Amino acid sequence: MQKLLQHRVKDMSETGILLRIFTPDAIEATPVTYMHQDDYYTFGFVDSGECHIHADFNEYRLSSGSIAFLQPGQVHSFISSSELSAFMLMIDSAFIPDGHKRILEEYALTSQTSDVTAGQHSQLKTLFDMTANIINGNNHTFTHSLTLHLSLSVIDIITANIATRLNSQNFNKRYIELTVTFKSLLRQHADIIHSPSGYAGLMNLSPAYLNEAVKAITGINVSQNIQNEIIVRAKRRLMYTGMSVKEIAHGLGFEDYAYFTRMFTKTAGCTPTDFRKRHK
């Protein structure tokens, strides 16, 4: 059984900011290829080449001009690359403005990657190169201040790109707000509340209206969103804990162990026991 490691910002860097640089010559020394969680945000930018990453049981392929971001708590790993030149900025969530977090959270409802314009590509490359030069320089007097300002400029460009994409999707703003709130409540209560009516009640909405909003934004209804969150949590526990399937079911709020097993099998395509065997 694998152990799910937790990377914490206090262990990552004294300043709360860390920049990793990927080059074709040094790619083997840099990526984290095991599954893990972070308590900070990660922003990636591919200058050239391509790479393949894993995040919460989804896989993403990134190529030149691609950006990606990971929110705290997501289980992820680096899978592979080809002639990759890229930058990865890890930063304490305390540094990121609330408005930016909101935009990232809204965009994450449908995607966590995007492609930048030619102008943004050039700007990001310049900012990352400047940040690397400052971090590796000999004058440490203003290193933290300059690194923070440059990092926030990188995040500004990435967030602006994402905001433009959000605006182009023409989603109902009210629906987006409701879906973000629902997702936040789901992360808090998925081990306890399994019914759409339970979340609708917390939000003082009718189940039908909440379902309409969530399906319009995510493409699936409230019940499926709840089920997907439960399955992701179950998979994590199957892979990274020694809990029995029955214990996992009870921990996720299921008194009926058989019902949990049927739901998992239908969604994941295999039984919980088989899933664990495949991922040992």
Side-chain angles (χ1 to χ4, degrees):
M1 179 185 66
Q2 306 172 59
K3 181 180 179 182
L4 182 60
L5 295 182
Q6 312 282 333
H7 292 180
R8 292 183 288 184
V9 68
K10 67 177 185 178
D11 302 320
M12 172 189 75
S13 164
E14 291 181 359
T15 64
I17 301 172
L18 182 65
L19 177 65
R20 284 185 174 163
I21 302 172
F22 300 75
T23 66
D25 294 333
I27 192 66
E28 297 299 332
T30 312
V32 176
T33 55
Y34 55 83
M35 291 290 190
H36 64 285
Q37 290 176 309
D38 306 325
D39 70 354
Y40 46 84
Y41 279 83
T42 298
F43 297 89
F45 165 63
V46 177
D47 181 34
S48 62
E50 60 182 30
C51 66
H52 187 194
I53 63 173
H54 182 287
D56 278 335
F57 303 100
N58 292 311
E59 295 185 3
Y60 301 94
R61 293 189 180 276
L62 307 174
S63 56
S64 178
S66 293
I67 53 176
F69 66 91
L70 293 165
Q71 301 177 98
Q74 290 192 268
V75 177
H76 60 281
S77 70
F78 184 96
I79 299 175
S80 63
S81 68
S82 175
E83 295 299 313
L84 180 66
S85 291
F87 300 89
M88 187 167 69
L89 173 68
M90 291 153 282
I91 184 167
D92 191 333
S93 60
F95 292 136
I96 302 177
D98 288 341
H100 287 44
K101 290 178 182 176
R102 183 76 175 187
I103 290 171
L104 296 171
E105 193 169 3
E106 289 181 10
Y107 191 72
L109 295 172
T110 55
S111 180
Q112 291 186 247
T113 66
S114 181
D115 293 319
V116 297
T117 65
Q120 290 170 334
H121 189 135
S122 176
Q123 291 167 353
L124 286 171
K125 178 67 164 60
T126 299
L127 287 168
F128 275 121
D129 284 339
M130 290 174 64
T131 304
N133 288 335
I134 289 169
I135 291 174
N136 296 325
N138 295 321
N139 185 354
H140 300 290
T141 306
F142 299 106
T143 296
H144 175 60
S145 177
L146 287 168
T147 300
L148 176 59
H149 286 297
L150 288 170
S151 297
L152 291 178
S153 295
V154 165
I155 295 169
D156 281 343
I157 292 171
I158 290 174
T159 307
N161 173 279
I162 288 170
T164 298
R165 288 186 175 268
L166 279 173
N167 292 333
S168 70
Q169 291 172 340
N170 294 319
F171 285 142
N172 182 304
K173 294 296 183 184
R174 176 62 174 161
Y175 283 3
I176 291 176
E177 291 173 1
L178 291 176
T179 304
V180 169
T181 300
F182 161 69
K183 285 285 196 176
S184 177
L185 290 170
L186 181 59
R187 286 192 294 272
Q188 297 173 50
H189 303 292
D191 291 355
I192 304 170
I193 302 175
H194 297 167
S195 68
S197 60
Y199 293 97
L202 291 175
M203 297 172 67
N204 295 314
L205 299 171
S206 71
Y209 184 58
L210 178 60
N211 195 64
E212 178 183 325
V214 170
K215 188 170 184 179
I217 301 302
T218 67
I220 57 176
N221 61 32
V222 172
S223 291
Q224 289 171 304
N225 272 277
I226 295 170
Q227 190 173 94
N228 287 349
E229 178 67 20
I230 290 169
I231 297 303
V232 166
R233 294 184 181 203
K235 286 180 176 179
R236 289 175 182 171
R237 295 175 197 186
L238 286 165
M239 289 178 66
Y240 304 115
T241 76
M243 297 169 66
S244 69
V245 175
K246 195 168 189 177
E247 288 172 333
I248 291 172
H250 287 168
L252 289 168
F254 291 87
E255 293 301 323
D256 187 342
Y257 158 69
Y259 174 76
F260 165 77
T261 300
R262 288 195 300 272
M263 184 187 76
F264 185 98
T265 302
K266 181 179 179 181
T267 304
C270 64
T271 67
T273 301
D274 286 341
F275 179 85
R276 172 170 273 168
K277 288 178 181 176
R278 293 177 188 177
H279 293 85
K280 278 186 176 180

